[in-house]
């Protein structure tokens, strides 16, 4: 690793903080409009181990918001991004309930959920966040809620999933957790901004800001570790 690459990072985080970043293990589920910016921020900041999981290919309709969608049109996202960000780990698979239930999360410090599917998000929370306080080998979960239909990144917030509000996607997520008897807690990024359209319109200024907020929360957690 070039010293120049992280010269300005070291000025901010100092040697002790940067060593924590280099030792960190982060799993990122979903590398679309939100997840791509999570990856970019974590990689540029110097996170030591980043593993990404996704199954989709880049489509022309992704080009308004997704990193890698111009040069990787028609190609699998994980393949394109693993070339763009050397030395990350990439797993090309559908993020289903069965996959999540069978996957071993114990080697990661943080799992970042940038999945669009609510059922998969609920399964992930049940697998990880219900165990965090009981077993030290389970990672911390950070989750994204709905970033579509919005224009104002200044309204983006982070809070306990139970304290999210003003977002239909987050409400469905909470209701699904309650139905499954979920008793845990985790941090979620959300925006209470009133939707600006009925369809899934999207703006990179918001989806990207969701991703950067998730990455910043992850870095903050890593720096606070003993």
């Amino acid at each position: 690793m070039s010293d120049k690459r992280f010269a300005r990072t070291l000025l901010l985080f100092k040697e002790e903080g940067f060593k924590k970043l280099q030792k960190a293990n982060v799993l990122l589920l979903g590398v679309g409009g939100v997840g791509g910016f999570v990856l970019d921020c974590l990689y540029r900041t110097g996170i030591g181990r980043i593993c990404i999981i996704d199954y989709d290919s880049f489509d022309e309709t992704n080009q308004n918001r997704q990193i890698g969608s111009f040069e990787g049109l028609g190609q699998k996202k994980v393949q394109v991004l693993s070339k763009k960000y050397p030395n990350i780990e990439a797993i090309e698979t559908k993020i289903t309930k069965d996959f999540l239930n069978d996957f071993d999360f114990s080697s990661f410090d943080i799992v970042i959920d940038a999945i669009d599917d609510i059922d998969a998000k609920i399964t992930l929370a049940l697998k990880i966040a219900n165990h965090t306080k009981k077993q030290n080998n389970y990672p911390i979960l950070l989750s994204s809620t709905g970033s579509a239909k919005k224009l104002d990144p200044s309204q983006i917030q982070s809070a306990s999933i139970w304290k999210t509000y003003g977002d239909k996607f987050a409400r469905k997520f909470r209701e699904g957790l309650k139905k499954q008897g979920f008793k845990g807690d985790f941090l979620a990024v959300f925006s209470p901004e009133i939707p600006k359209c009925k369809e899934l319109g999207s703006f990179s200024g918001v989806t990207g800001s969701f991703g950067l907020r998730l990455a910043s929360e992850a870095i903050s957690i890593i720096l606070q570790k003993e």
Side-chain angles (χ1 to χ4, degrees), residues 29-31 52-58 75-79 91-96:
L29 300 172
V31 284
I52 62 173
I53 303 179
D54 202 300
Y55 185 73
D56 292 339
S57 300
F58 284 116
Q75 301 176 53
K76 291 289 187 178
K77 293 176 183 178
V78 294
Q79 295 176 0
I91 300 174
E92 181 189 320
T93 188
K94 290 184 178 180
I95 304 173
T96 64

Side-chain angles (χ1 to χ4, degrees), residues 178-192:
K178 288 178 182 177
K179 288 179 181 178
Q180 292 295 323
F182 179 75
K183 300 296 184 182
D185 196 8
F186 54 91
L187 197 68
V189 172
F190 71 101
S191 170

Side-chain angles (χ1 to χ4, degrees), residues 146-162:
S147 63
K149 309 179 185 181
K150 298 170 184 181
L151 291 174
D152 184 4
S154 72
Q155 295 196 44
I156 296 171
Q157 304 175 42
S158 60
S160 158
I161 183 61
W162 304 117

Side-chain angles (χ1 to χ4, degrees), residues 11 15 21 23 42 65 72 80 99 111 126 128 156 186 198-199 201 216 225:
L11 290 173
E15 186 174 351
L21 299 178
K23 292 179 180 178
L42 294 179
R65 68 196 185 283
V80 174
F99 171 78
V111 173
L126 290 168
I128 295 179
I156 296 171
F186 54 91
K198 292 182 179 180
E199 302 80 9
S216 295
K225 292 187 69 174

Side-chain angles (χ1 to χ4, degrees), residues 52-109:
I52 62 173
I53 303 179
D54 202 300
Y55 185 73
D56 292 339
S57 300
F58 284 116
D59 183 82
E60 193 170 1
T61 60
N62 301 146
Q63 292 180 332
N64 76 319
R65 68 196 185 283
Q66 294 190 8
I67 292 176
S69 56
F70 284 102
E71 63 268 42
L73 188 61
Q75 301 176 53
K76 291 289 187 178
K77 293 176 183 178
V78 294
Q79 295 176 0
V80 174
L81 294 173
S82 61
K83 293 177 182 177
K84 190 176 183 68
Y85 303 96
N87 300 317
I88 66 169
E89 300 172 33
I91 300 174
E92 181 189 320
T93 188
K94 290 184 178 180
I95 304 173
T96 64
K97 290 183 179 181
D98 288 342
F99 171 78
L100 292 170
N101 283 323
D102 292 340
F103 190 80
D104 182 6
F105 293 92
S106 62
S107 65
F108 297 98
D109 303 306

